[in-house]
Amino acid sequence: MFLSEALMINNTITTLGLWGNNIGENGAIFICEALKVNTTLTYLNLLRNNIGENGAISICEALKLNNALKTLNLTSNNIGENGISEICEALKENNTLTYLGLDKNHIGDGGAISIHELLKVNTSLLSLSLQNNDIGDNRAIYIFKALKINNTLTTLDLWGNNINDDTKTTLRATWNGKLFM
């Protein structure tokens, strides 16, 4: 709570790393209240904080209003398919975030559909990391269909998903960006 209050009046801090602090959904809610009004924070790392789906939803509200944040790492937060869906909807309105880390969030094939829809319209994301998210062949191909429309994304990390070698070869041949699988 004190950190949230400090971020609301902050006009100098640009980087905040809170990885591994287990702030949970309540901590995420406090941080996001600050993000709604903060104009200087450009980098936020919330890796391994167990924010869950509800914490992700609070982040969405902040992403709709915040015009400063460029890098957001939400790796290992148990966000799930619904949380990813909400984040993707919020990022359709956000035009400043350039990096999004969503590794190890159990987004599965349902989350991959949301990623596809986001990539069709988002024009600010340059790099997206989706490592170890149980994304299968068909949904990986679906994500790549959105990349035919999206001219902004330059790096996509799908390492550790359920994508077979034939699909990997096909995907590498169809996209000119940096691809990690």
Side-chain angles (χ1 to χ4, degrees), residues 8-22:
M8 286 183 182
I9 59 172
N10 165 60
N11 61 7
T12 56
I13 296 173
T14 59
T15 300
L16 182 60
L18 295 174
W19 54 89
N21 280 287
N22 201 30

Side-chain angles (χ1 to χ4, degrees), residues 97-109:
L97 199 71
T98 59
Y99 173 84
L100 180 60
L102 295 170
D103 305 338
K104 298 180 182 178
N105 272 301
H106 313 289
I107 69 169
D109 286 341

